[in-house]
Amino acid sequence: MSERIQKILEKEDWNRNDLIQLLNATGEQQQDLFKKAHEIKEKYVGLKTYYRGLVEFSNYCYKNCYYCGIRAGNKNVERYDLTDEQILEAVQFAHQNKYASVVFQGGERDDKEFIERIENILYKAKALTNNEIGITLSLGEQTLETYQRWFEAGAHRYLLRIETTNKELFYKIHPQNRKHNFERRIQALYDLKRSGYQTGTGVMIALPFQTTEHLADDLLFFKNFDVDMVGMGPYIEHKETPLYEFKDALIPLKDRFYLSLRMIAILRILMKDINIAAATALQAIDPIGREKAVKAGANVIMPNITPTINRTNYQLYENKPCIDEGADDCTTCLEARITIAGDTVAYGEWGDSPHFKNRTKKAEDIKP
Ligand code: SAM
Ligand code: SF4
């Protein structure tokens, strides 16, 4: 084991410089990092992978993030909205296959009709499954009141990626206006915590203009904000987006992939008991990318259970995997690959973030 990395891996606390060195690890040093992350995973959260059935229920979005293929400004996208029946069918599929949890993800909207519709679907999904299905939402920035309503209706985890914690970079990848505002996004994360959700965030890795210093700061942000879960993965360019202009400044896909794995491994050691998702974008680069992430410390995978017919229209980036496979096809070999990666699939378990339980218990303990 290289001495320099060994010394850092043995330290109790890491400073920004340590994180930068770990982010730059290559070869044997990188393997040492992955090995340590795997040990920590086994000790603190167990060698288990939890499934969250991903329902990409709509690609209508009123925002214009510069990196995203389904941004409002992309007129080439055929827009769709799954019907309530289709969404509930997907929920039933997850429940019957013992996935235990689903994620409802979609473009961002904040109109009354949308808010009410989500609320109703949440109640229906809970009723359909005897309250057994766990529900994560990933529906962007909403008001505190909306977050509370959806929590009341049965959602208990929420994923809102900050995308980058560097304000300057944030405005290089988003317009700067009422709908895209850095402080507002941070506030939304606080509102989620306040509403009682297990709160998740994350970033895109290897964005144009992004440095390892930025990524080290992202990791410190996760720690300081005390997140319960993180979903982060490589940025992958999409031709029909403004950020495509900078494609020549990007590092090769393979390097983006390994940088993402190092982010996951470092985070597992930094925040031992949180849930870390193996992002689908990893699979777009390497067919067994998510399983490699599982070996490097991730413990959540989100198999896509969106009806196949709609998947081609939810293209956030190029080469998005599994767009022509049904939910069954995707899951048949997934379990075998996870087993090869050394984990067992935790069927029928919600797999709540132990960190959430520990942090809320701590808060209870110090109440007068
Ligand atoms: N609209 C919601 C939001 O933005 O929070 C949820 C859906 S959005 C499609 C989910 C995530 O997709 C975003 O947080 C972003 O990180 C990721 N994403 C979008 N475009 C991407 C790209 N080109 N490469 C990698 N990830 C991308
Ligand atoms: Fe809309 Fe989310 Fe894509 Fe931004 S990342 S354009 S909010 S779907």
Side-chain angles (χ1 to χ4, degrees):
M1 192 188 276
S2 112
E3 240 177 76
R4 189 168 50 92
I5 293 291
Q6 159 120 57
K7 269 202 180 127
I8 299 175
L9 289 176
E10 280 169 4
K11 279 171 79 171
E12 279 294 313
D13 253 330
W14 290 338
N15 59 32
R16 187 170 184 261
N17 196 37
D18 295 330
L19 294 174
I20 294 168
Q21 293 207 46
L22 291 170
L23 283 167
N24 288 324
T26 53
E28 204 186 315
Q29 304 179 346
Q30 177 177 265
Q31 287 315 315
D32 295 339
L33 169 66
F34 293 161
K35 190 164 163 265
K36 171 92 180 186
H38 194 256
E39 283 165 18
I40 297 284
K41 173 176 165 180
E42 179 166 23
K43 186 163 172 202
Y44 289 86
V45 290
L47 295 182
K48 282 182 178 185
T49 298
Y50 299 96
Y51 279 173
R52 317 275 188 243
L54 178 64
V55 188
E56 296 166 332
F57 79 88
S58 171
N59 65 359
Y60 282 95
C61 184
Y62 80 162
K63 280 185 137 175
N64 256 317
C65 309
Y66 291 154
Y67 43 84
C68 178
I70 62 168
R71 61 199 299 273
N74 187 1
K75 302 298 173 211
N76 296 330
V77 179
E78 198 183 312
R79 302 286 164 177
Y80 73 87
D81 228 337
L82 296 188
T83 62
D84 288 9
E85 290 67 35
Q86 284 175 312
I87 297 171
L88 293 170
E89 246 171 61
V91 170
Q92 190 134 40
F93 172 87
H95 188 236
Q96 281 168 351
N97 287 276
K98 304 220 168 346
Y99 281 17
S101 289
V102 288
V103 181
F104 292 161
Q105 195 188 73
E108 199 168 311
R109 282 174 56 180
D110 67 351
D111 50 285
K112 196 164 160 264
E113 187 192 332
F114 176 76
I115 293 165
E116 276 174 14
R117 178 168 183 231
I118 298 298
E119 189 177 31
N120 285 331
I121 292 171
L122 287 170
Y123 281 120
K124 283 186 193 162
K126 282 294 197 183
L128 181 72
T129 60
N130 255 336
N131 272 330
E132 280 168 12
I133 202 81
I135 306 179
T136 307
L137 295 179
S138 178
L139 300 172
E141 290 161 40
Q142 305 289 339
T143 62
L144 176 65
E145 191 213 336
T146 302
Y147 285 150
Q148 286 169 338
R149 271 175 73 175
W150 291 346
F151 186 82
E152 279 297 303
H156 78 293
R157 307 185 193 107
Y158 204 107
L159 187 62
L160 180 74
R161 285 184 177 179
I162 184 72
E163 314 296 0
T164 171
T165 58
N166 183 280
K167 192 168 164 177
E168 214 176 299
L169 179 58
F170 186 90
Y171 287 121
K172 283 189 173 139
I173 64 168
H174 298 100
Q176 187 163 5
N177 56 31
R178 192 182 56 81
K179 288 184 196 157
H180 307 81
N181 180 282
F182 183 69
E183 280 78 22
R184 164 94 185 80
R185 203 156 179 92
I186 303 240
Q187 183 56 48
L189 284 171
Y190 281 102
D191 290 345
L192 285 167
K193 257 196 182 171
R194 204 172 137 197
S195 308
Y197 288 92
Q198 290 173 47
T199 304
T201 190
V203 292
M204 277 178 291
I205 298 160
L207 284 158
F209 317 111
Q210 193 180 43
T211 63
T212 31
E213 284 76 8
H214 292 148
L215 291 171
D217 290 336
D218 293 339
L219 290 165
L220 291 172
F221 173 85
F222 300 154
K223 176 98 178 154
N224 293 335
F225 183 78
D226 207 15
V227 285
D228 303 309
M229 25 187 234
V230 169
M232 56 184 173
Y235 161 70
I236 302 176
E237 64 273 31
H238 188 297
K239 273 198 187 73
E240 291 156 4
T241 61
L243 218 55
Y244 192 70
E245 185 190 331
F246 304 102
K247 65 175 193 316
D248 295 335
L250 296 171
I251 58 171
L253 278 175
K254 195 165 172 232
D255 295 349
R256 280 183 243 172
F257 178 81
Y258 280 102
L259 181 57
S260 303
L261 289 197
R262 290 197 294 280
M263 279 289 278
I264 289 174
I266 295 168
L267 183 63
R268 170 57 66 207
I269 305 171
L270 193 66
M271 299 190 73
K272 300 177 171 40
D273 58 354
I274 65 169
N275 278 350
I276 304 179
T280 310
L282 290 166
Q283 197 191 353
I285 301 181
D286 180 332
I288 52 163
R290 293 178 305 173
E291 294 76 358
K292 287 183 179 168
V294 158
K295 270 199 127 165
N299 67 336
V300 170
I301 282 191
M302 304 193 288
N304 198 337
I305 57 168
T306 310
T308 317
I309 191 164
N310 297 101
R311 284 192 207 173
T312 37
N313 295 319
Y314 200 87
Q315 290 257 48
L316 311 177
Y317 42 78
E318 281 156 14
N319 289 332
K320 196 162 172 257
C322 290
I323 53 177
D324 52 8
E325 289 177 15
D328 289 308
D329 305 322
C330 273
T331 45
T332 319
C333 45
L334 184 58
E335 182 180 347
R337 296 199 305 259
I338 289 170
T339 312
I340 292 169
D343 265 25
T344 47
V345 177
Y347 287 112
E349 291 180 49
W350 269 12
D352 282 341
S353 150
H355 186 80
F356 176 77
K357 287 182 205 149
N358 294 339
R359 99 171 147 80
T360 42
K361 187 172 176 310
K362 252 189 255 161
E364 276 301 311
D365 289 348
I366 53 174
K367 264 189 193 160

